[in-house]
Amino acid sequence: MRILADENVDAAIVQWLRLAGHGVFWASEMAVSAPDPELISIARRESRILITGDLDFGELVYRHGRVATGVVLLRYRTASQHDRLRLLQAQWPLIEARVPGHFIVCRNNRVRIRPISPAGS
């Protein structure tokens, strides 16, 4: 899977995704301080799934109609990088199977999946 990881995604998560064979473009390495609309455009243009902790992407997709290949919003309530990685690893099979064309919100004990229409609304 091709992924664009926002700057706020933990390095441990990026490393794990890469070790799992995913092509990860990490904004912290390649698009430092890029505005959110630019990141969503890069993800769409390169057919990448966007992984972020930033709530603004929900507004960009649903309120402003920005088209996205798929978005994973990480909303884990833990300060530990290790715990966030462990939670994502446990939820990843469901996420991976459903993320294209969907906006997925990951919380500690649940995953919410909502379709993204072609127009982004």
Side-chain angles (χ1 to χ4, degrees), residues 66-82:
R66 297 299 299 261
V67 177
T69 304
V71 178
V72 178
L73 176 61
L74 305 177
R75 300 298 298 160
Y76 299 129
R77 291 181 184 251
T78 178
S80 162
Q81 265 192 45
H82 174 75

Side-chain angles (χ1 to χ4, degrees), residues 1-6 13-27 29-30 42-43 46-51 92 96:
M1 180 180 301
R2 294 170 50 88
I3 296 169
L4 189 156
D6 197 355
I13 289 174
V14 171
Q15 181 181 12
W16 175 73
L17 289 167
R18 287 176 173 164
L19 288 172
H22 301 290
V24 181
F25 175 113
W26 190 22
E29 297 171 336
M30 301 173 193
I42 292 168
E46 297 182 6
S47 298
R48 292 181 182 274
I49 301 304
L50 180 68
I51 298 180
W92 190 251
E96 190 173 30

Side-chain angles (χ1 to χ4, degrees), residues 47-68:
S47 298
R48 292 181 182 274
I49 301 304
L50 180 68
I51 298 180
T52 185
D54 188 346
L55 294 170
D56 292 342
F57 286 98
E59 185 161 325
L60 284 170
V61 170
Y62 291 107
R63 181 174 282 191
H64 298 288
R66 297 299 299 261
V67 177

Side-chain angles (χ1 to χ4, degrees), residues 63-109:
R63 181 174 282 191
H64 298 288
R66 297 299 299 261
V67 177
T69 304
V71 178
V72 178
L73 176 61
L74 305 177
R75 300 298 298 160
Y76 299 129
R77 291 181 184 251
T78 178
S80 162
Q81 265 192 45
H82 174 75
D83 287 344
R84 287 190 297 271
L85 174 58
R86 183 184 51 76
L87 287 164
L88 182 63
Q89 288 170 330
Q91 295 169 341
W92 190 251
L94 174 63
I95 294 166
E96 190 173 30
R98 299 286 306 275
V99 71
H102 291 88
F103 195 103
I104 298 179
V105 180
C106 301
R107 297 191 180 274
N108 287 33
N109 54 2

